[in-house]
Amino acid sequence: FDMDALPVQEEDRGQPYLSQNPGCMHACGHDAHTAMGLAMASLLYEFRDCWSGTVKLFFQPAEEGVRGGRAMAENGFLDDVTYLFGCHIFGREGRKEPQADVIPGACGSLATTKLDVVFHGQSAHAGSCPEKGRNVMLAAAAAIQNLYSIPRHSQGSSRINVGWLEAGSGRNIIADRAKMELEVRGATSEINEYMEHYAIQILQAAARMHGCTCSISRVGSAFSLESTDWLSEEVQKACREIGLVPTTFLHEHSDGSEDCSYLMEKVKEHGGEAAFLIMLNDTAGPGHSPGFDIREEVMVSGVKALMAAGLRVLQ
């Protein structure tokens, strides 16, 4: 269960659960994921005589920015895990089966890399001696325009976004420092690497073009997520037994990125099974937007699906 929020100012529609932290909101459903995890903990204890084995509940930080999954996968807690379930709330819009409540296993989420870039230049008086400056504002602008012009890849979808830029200190000063945050994504790890390599070339060339330098840091990454067929089938059977409506197909492609892939691959490395469940929901706005909200019944469906699937493999 991922649990982090996003730097977004929540839209005030009079809802009693409006964020109490200005500029910070759960714009991707992670508060609901956390609530589902806590509900599962309570139910697993209540029905402890109905199953045997060991259950671990992972509440993952830093899914936004894809930094938490890898750190958790490397700490040894997954070394003895046989079955792993992940989950995420998704909007119904554009889905192939709008009546479905649960997709048993997600596959093909986009691999991604997150980059932080700092441009270094030389400040100068913008009126009396602009030629003595090395303007990072120009370098950053050239980089942004060309980043969005990276040629697409013939083998699958790709994405790029510059989400944050800060530069300069005053209107009459040549800017000597700029910081940029961006991300690339690809349908496969190979396409993502293509996007990352191309982006780095553009960033370095844009800096050189204007006599500046740049430093680039890789601050997060995730590879494509793949659920295993057997566990996805078990989830599907469990959902049907309790009256939920799972999709007729096991797997659904996602255009997002998800660092639960690190947890899943860690379990699969030693012969375990992993499934990432998608809980379909009517959302009031798209994810990562100020108007994002969910229909709260999805939390009940999510807990039912996870409990039914979990008990199926624990009995």
Side-chain angles (χ1 to χ4, degrees):
F1 309 97
D2 42 15
M3 58 182 186
D4 51 337
L6 282 154
V8 176
Q9 179 61 48
E10 186 163 11
E11 182 181 307
D12 187 351
R13 303 182 308 281
Q15 64 271 40
Y17 45 83
L18 181 70
S19 174
Q20 299 301 299
N21 300 287
C24 187
M25 73 169 285
H26 280 287
C28 203
H30 296 183
D31 50 346
H33 301 168
T34 303
M36 286 158 53
L38 294 172
M40 276 200 71
S42 177
L43 289 169
L44 284 166
Y45 181 77
E46 182 178 348
F47 295 101
R48 60 192 178 278
D49 295 333
C50 300
W51 57 272
S52 60
T54 300
V55 177
K56 299 182 180 183
L57 301 179
F58 290 88
F59 292 87
Q60 183 200 317
E63 187 272 337
E64 302 295 354
V66 290
R67 295 185 299 276
R70 183 173 185 173
M72 296 186 79
E74 291 175 349
N75 66 17
F77 293 147
L78 290 154
D79 292 350
D80 60 349
V81 172
T82 310
Y83 307 107
L84 177 76
F85 298 100
C87 69
H88 207 294
I89 291 171
F90 275 63
R92 290 182 190 269
E93 186 178 356
R95 295 286 159 182
K96 298 173 185 176
E97 296 193 11
Q99 298 307 310
D101 290 323
V102 179
I103 295 173
C107 281
S109 65
L110 301 180
T112 186
T113 303
K114 315 300 184 185
L115 300 173
D116 282 0
V117 185
V118 179
F119 291 92
H120 304 277
Q122 175 64 51
S123 60
H125 194 288
S128 62
C129 53
E131 75 284 358
K132 293 182 180 179
R134 297 292 178 265
N135 197 333
V136 296
M137 202 78 75
L138 294 174
I144 291 172
Q145 282 192 314
N146 285 281
L147 285 167
Y148 282 98
S149 301
I150 294 177
R152 302 300 92 175
H153 200 289
S154 64
Q155 300 303 308
S157 59
S158 59
R159 302 283 191 276
I160 187 160
N161 188 59
V162 179
W164 187 79
L165 175 65
E166 183 178 70
S169 56
R171 73 178 72 246
N172 60 350
I173 304 168
I174 301 295
D176 65 347
R177 189 179 185 276
K179 185 175 180 183
M180 178 187 296
E181 294 180 3
L182 67 140
E183 64 171 21
V184 294
R185 303 183 194 231
T188 64
S189 294
E190 291 73 22
I191 296 174
N192 184 63
E193 288 170 9
Y194 159 81
M195 294 294 292
E196 181 182 355
H197 177 70
Y198 215 128
I200 289 172
Q201 284 186 307
I202 287 171
L203 291 163
Q204 293 172 337
R208 289 195 301 270
M209 184 189 307
H210 294 285
C212 302
T213 61
C214 72
S215 56
I216 303 171
S217 302
R218 207 169 187 259
V219 295
S221 64
F223 39 74
S224 188
L225 173 152
E226 300 291 335
S227 295
T228 56
D229 286 342
W230 182 84
L231 194 55
S232 298
E233 290 170 358
E234 292 302 301
V235 175
Q236 189 178 62
K237 293 173 186 175
C239 288
R240 285 179 175 160
E241 286 174 358
I242 62 172
L244 290 179
V245 187
T247 51
T248 55
F249 52 93
L250 286 178
H251 300 308
E252 170 78 349
H253 176 81
S254 166
D255 285 333
S257 300
E258 177 57 69
D259 66 345
C260 186
S261 57
Y262 283 107
L263 308 182
M264 295 169 71
E265 290 305 311
K266 191 70 172 179
V267 170
K268 289 192 278 184
E269 278 177 14
H270 56 254
E273 300 270 349
F276 191 83
L277 285 68
I278 292 175
M279 318 302 184
L280 293 177
N281 183 245
D282 299 318
T283 57
H288 295 206
S289 75
F292 177 84
D293 199 0
I294 64 167
R295 183 173 48 84
E296 294 186 0
E297 290 85 348
V298 74
M299 292 188 283
V300 177
S301 297
V303 171
K304 285 181 178 179
L306 288 165
M307 281 294 296
L311 291 175
R312 190 176 182 88
V313 298
L314 285 165
Q315 290 173 340

